[in-house]
């Protein structure tokens, strides 16, 4: 296999490798570092003995991601305020044609799922990502993790039950989420507290991620009244030289707030029964730098 061929093969599979690494780590920079390390290992020697490059590269990337995840967990324990995955643009375009497959990929990268995955062990998370998001056979996952197939099936079952128990029930219809996000913006920016409260579920939660580097709640806010009044007050204070754009992040519509032309905040909502169940606010500048306005 020539150097050019090795490069072409790796680039062909890069989207899958990045997808696996991001779902494992929840941070774009960490995922890119893992994929770069996978490339260095792939290109270090002739690979004529590799019959299935995709399986080989996923195996290397997954193992590197598990190692990285074990190291970053201590960093997250010291994080200031709630931790949310770094938002990532997910416009699948024509790369994923099947509607069912698009829905699975979008769901597996949603903030609601990624937050729950944080509570899994690294091995459980790897099995869940490879099986549920990418549909890898149990035998292939077993080879990747150097575990027996029966052990992998047990890990998969445990991870699946854990996610089902902890993951809130949300509608995934992007059109409804977009409409409610637009109404949310209109009510908040228009100073209409009553209209804002009508959009919120009684037990709505607001999770803000600033890492201590911007203004955002350092604790999760719960209940429609508290969330509504916080958002109402934040809207009144405003953001200097602000403008708003709708983008697709983590498989769904999101509101990007720019200040002076640079990303300042991202708002995304989870919806069920026609009401907003959770509001995510991301203001950590380190996590917004990869978003292209």
């Amino acid at each position: 296999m020539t150097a050019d061929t090795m490069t072409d093969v790796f680039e062909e599979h890069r989207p899958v490798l990045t997808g696996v690494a991001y779902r494992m780590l929840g941070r774009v920079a960490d995922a890119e570092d893992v994929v770069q390390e996978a490339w260095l290992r792939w290109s270090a020697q002739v690979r004529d003995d590799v019959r299935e490059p995709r399986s080989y590269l996923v195996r290397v990337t997954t193992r590197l991601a598990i190692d990285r995840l074990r190291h970053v967990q201590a960093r997250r324990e010291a994080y200031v305020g709630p931790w949310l995955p770094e938002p990532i643009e997910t416009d699948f375009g024509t790369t994923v044609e099947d509607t069912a497959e698009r829905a699975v990929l979008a769901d597996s990268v949603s903030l609601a799922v990624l937050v729950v995955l944080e509570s899994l062990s690294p091995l459980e998370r790897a099995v869940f990502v490879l099986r549920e998001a990418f549909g890898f056979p149990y035998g292939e996952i077993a080879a990747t993790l150097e575990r027996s197939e029966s052990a992998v099936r047990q890990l998969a079952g445990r991870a699946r039950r854990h996610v089902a128990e902890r993951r809130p029930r949300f509608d995934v219809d992007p059109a409804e989420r977009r409409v409610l996000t637009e109404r949310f913006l209109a009510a908040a920016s228009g100073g209409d507290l009553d209209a804002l409260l009508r959009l919120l579920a009684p037990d709505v939660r607001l999770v803000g991620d600033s890492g201590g580097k911007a203004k955002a709640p350092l604790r999760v806010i719960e209940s429609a009244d508290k969330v509504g009044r916080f958002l109402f007050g934040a809207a009144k204070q405003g953001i200097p030289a602000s403008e708003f754009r709708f983008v697709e992040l983590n498989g769904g519509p999101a509101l990007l707030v720019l200040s002076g032309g640079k990303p300042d905040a991202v708002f995304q909502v989870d919806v069920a029964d026609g009401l907003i169940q959770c509001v995510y606010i991301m203001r950590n500048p380190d996590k917004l730098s990869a978003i292209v306005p």
Side-chain angles (χ1 to χ4, degrees):
M1 189 182 295
T2 66
D4 288 344
T5 302
M6 291 179 68
T7 300
D8 291 342
V9 169
F10 189 88
E11 290 304 319
E12 177 186 352
H13 300 299
R14 181 184 288 273
V16 172
L17 305 182
T18 302
V20 169
Y22 173 76
R23 287 165 176 80
M24 284 288 297
L25 298 164
R27 190 166 179 266
V28 175
D30 286 333
E32 290 176 344
D33 286 347
V34 162
V35 173
Q36 179 63 22
E37 179 63 27
W39 159 249
L40 292 175
R41 296 193 180 194
W42 169 254
S43 61
Q45 55 186 299
V46 177
R47 291 297 177 186
D48 291 328
D49 59 328
V50 178
R51 295 183 179 180
E52 298 181 5
R54 181 175 186 265
S55 297
Y56 174 86
L57 289 169
V58 168
R59 186 179 308 146
V60 171
T61 299
T62 301
R63 291 176 181 174
L64 289 170
I66 289 173
D67 291 341
R68 175 65 66 97
L69 185 59
R70 287 169 173 157
H71 283 92
V72 301
Q73 283 176 333
R75 184 177 69 196
R76 291 178 187 173
E77 290 175 0
Y79 196 78
V80 177
W83 184 93
L84 287 172
E86 182 177 345
I88 186 173
E89 297 182 69
T90 52
D91 184 0
F92 298 113
T94 59
T95 59
V96 182
E97 297 181 1
D98 181 71
T99 302
E101 185 181 354
R102 287 174 65 95
V104 169
L105 286 173
D107 186 53
S108 69
V109 81
S110 69
L111 293 181
V113 168
L114 291 177
V115 168
V116 174
L117 292 187
E118 284 294 304
S119 58
L120 298 179
S121 71
L123 284 179
E124 288 172 339
R125 187 163 183 165
V127 171
F128 186 89
V129 168
L130 293 176
R131 180 64 183 173
E132 301 300 321
F134 294 95
F136 280 89
Y138 286 113
E140 195 168 330
I141 299 174
T144 295
L145 301 180
E146 298 182 322
R147 298 290 192 279
S148 68
E149 186 170 333
S150 61
V152 166
R153 288 182 180 272
Q154 290 179 353
L155 284 168
R158 190 159 62 238
R160 198 178 298 115
R161 288 192 300 271
H162 184 92
V163 172
E165 290 169 358
R166 297 200 177 193
R167 180 191 175 192
R169 181 185 63 82
F170 296 133
D171 298 330
V172 295
D173 181 8
E176 183 177 7
R177 291 176 68 187
R178 170 68 181 256
V179 168
L180 279 175
T181 303
E182 290 175 343
R183 292 172 60 190
F184 166 85
L185 172 61
S189 60
D192 192 338
L193 179 59
D194 290 336
L196 183 59
L197 291 174
R198 287 194 295 269
L199 298 174
L200 304 177
D203 57 349
V204 63
R205 302 170 73 247
L206 184 147
V207 185
D209 180 336
S210 69
K213 299 180 179 181
K215 287 186 177 180
L218 295 180
R219 293 182 176 84
V220 176
I221 301 176
E222 299 180 339
S223 85
D225 183 68
K226 291 180 180 179
V227 170
R229 294 187 182 281
F230 171 82
L231 292 170
F232 184 75
K236 287 184 66 176
Q237 291 182 5
I239 295 175
S242 62
E243 55 181 303
F244 305 93
R245 295 183 187 175
F246 282 95
V247 294
E248 182 178 303
L249 300 174
N250 294 84
L255 179 65
L256 173 63
V257 182
L258 303 173
S259 177
K262 297 181 179 180
D264 182 274
V266 164
F267 287 79
Q268 194 166 44
V269 300
D270 281 324
V271 174
D273 302 322
L275 294 173
I276 295 174
Q277 307 290 330
C278 188
V279 180
Y280 303 102
I281 303 177
M282 284 156 280
R283 296 206 67 200
N284 185 337
D286 296 339
K287 295 186 177 183
L288 301 178
S289 58
I291 299 177
V292 180

